[in-house]
Amino acid sequence: MLTIGKLGAKAGVKVPTIRYYEQIGLLPEAERSAGNQRLYGTKALDRLAFIRHARDLGFTLEAIRDLLSLSDNPEQSCAAADAIARAQLVEVESRLARLTALKAELERMVVQCAGGKIADCRVIEVLGNHSLCATDHRHPETEETP
């Protein structure tokens, strides 16, 4: 059995994050020692490592919840897991496209900057007026509605 600190160290996850995952139901509530200290077994370590890896790949907590639910029923088809992974791939591709547009816009701003006074600075001018951008690099979740 592992204490919460040792579990976190083995999985590369901070203690508050482990507590949060317990609170939202991604990790089952830990057993307790006689001194009321949380104790975790190998199943908890494996589950936490799964969550950590999925987070590293950018999966949302809701997608991870669904994937964990699927992994708890190993005899079913993996079509649902595949669909979740495909949706994540689409999101990553979208992010890459936005980052590529963002990179191009930043390069354009820097090249156009004359290095003179702020009053003539192209970087400040473009940041103050999105219509001067060559591409639409906004993140869909941060767009303001007119």
Side-chain angles (χ1 to χ4, degrees):
M1 298 299 283
L2 299 168
T3 63
I4 194 168
K6 289 180 181 175
L7 176 71
K10 282 190 176 259
V13 176
K14 294 181 179 181
V15 169
T17 303
I18 296 170
R19 289 188 187 118
Y20 176 69
Y21 290 161
E22 280 184 20
Q23 181 184 9
I24 65 170
L26 288 181
L27 281 177
E29 201 170 304
E31 295 179 32
R32 298 285 184 152
S33 69
N36 204 29
Q37 190 175 34
R38 286 179 167 96
L39 297 174
Y40 300 88
T42 56
K43 282 186 178 182
L45 176 59
D46 292 344
R47 193 168 181 98
L48 186 57
F50 181 101
I51 295 167
R52 169 71 195 268
H53 191 202
R55 292 296 287 159
D56 287 346
L57 290 170
F59 285 96
T60 65
L61 292 177
E62 193 55 42
I64 293 169
R65 182 183 310 283
D66 293 343
L67 290 165
L68 286 168
S69 177
L70 292 168
S71 73
D72 289 339
N73 299 296
E75 296 303 316
Q76 65 184 332
S77 165
C78 70
D82 185 57
I84 293 168
R86 286 181 189 276
Q88 180 60 20
L89 178 59
V90 167
E91 175 56 30
V92 167
E93 289 169 341
S94 174
R95 257 187 271 155
L96 284 170
R98 286 192 312 272
L99 285 171
T100 300
L102 178 63
K103 178 181 182 272
E105 190 60 43
L106 288 168
E107 287 172 341
R108 192 174 75 82
M109 284 174 21
V110 168
V111 165
Q112 291 178 350
C113 187
K117 296 180 182 177
I118 287 294
D120 303 319
C121 182
R122 183 68 176 170
V123 172
I124 300 298
E125 183 182 5
V126 171
L127 290 175
N129 185 350
H130 192 291
S131 68
L132 297 174
C133 291
T135 62
D136 186 9
H137 48 80
R138 292 176 289 193
H139 189 284
E141 294 173 9
T142 59
E143 287 184 25
E144 293 182 18
T145 54

